[in-house]
Amino acid sequence: SWHLAAVHAGAQSDVRAVCALSPDRLVTAARDGCIRVQSVHSPSPDLIAELSHGESNYVQALLVRVDGTLVSGALNGEIIEWAEDGVKRKLAGHTDGPKHEKAVSCLAETCDGQLVSCSWDKSIRLWGEDSEEPECTLTGHAAAVWAVLPMEGWLVSASADRRIMVWRGAECERVLEGRDGHRDARMTGC
């Protein structure tokens, strides 16, 4: 049976993303611009680290890569890979275009370790290991891309345009819609 085990406080604003850094460390990102790493199992969760994209630049996407690297995506389109002592790598992100279209909405990792991001700018970007610029940018959605799911040899994206696109390489191979299509743009989880 499920029950409340702990309350993790400390954010000065609403929490936008959460992920597990390890079995006993929780990572949260809030609209106050801070990323917090906290102990999960202690009765009063200990703040282990606090990282920031800046107060007016909140984080809404988090990913822990297979190698344990924490990656965050922010409202201004910025993507940062974090090391224990601070910034490991800052990517160009989705920083071109109008301010209101830059936000990184989701981060993922392909089976072969390639970082993937999607954004309100209607694009999906794939990042190489050593570059600060994207290796590939996928376009085709007519509105913000909310989610991306890497699968073996495929990439699936979901957008506010109510379409799900299936990609192989840089080409959209298929557009999926329900029998009646999705009727409204909604962000939902599992």
Side-chain angles (χ1 to χ4, degrees), residues 121-190:
D121 70 0
K122 308 173 202 159
S123 76
I124 302 150
R125 298 186 184 188
L126 291 93
W127 304 88
E129 198 58 42
D130 299 321
S131 175
E132 294 178 0
E133 298 294 325
E135 284 186 355
C136 181
T137 300
L138 307 177
T139 58
H141 281 291
V145 182
W146 296 133
V148 64
L149 173 65
M151 298 173 69
E152 188 71 43
W154 302 89
L155 200 61
V156 180
S157 58
S159 168
D161 66 8
R162 302 185 309 257
R163 297 185 303 158
I164 297 167
M165 299 178 90
V166 180
W167 306 84
R168 183 181 291 277
E171 299 296 320
C172 176
E173 291 211 351
R174 195 164 171 211
V175 177
L176 303 174
E177 294 189 52
R179 203 168 72 198
D180 296 323
H182 295 287
R183 298 187 190 282
D184 191 12
R186 294 187 181 149
M187 290 190 292
T188 60
C190 298

Side-chain angles (χ1 to χ4, degrees), residues 83-106:
E84 295 239 355
D85 58 348
V87 175
K88 175 180 175 182
R89 177 171 70 141
K90 189 182 268 191
L91 304 175
H94 296 260
T95 55
D96 46 345
K99 182 178 181 181
H100 69 282
E101 292 184 357
K102 296 178 182 181
V104 175
S105 48
C106 184

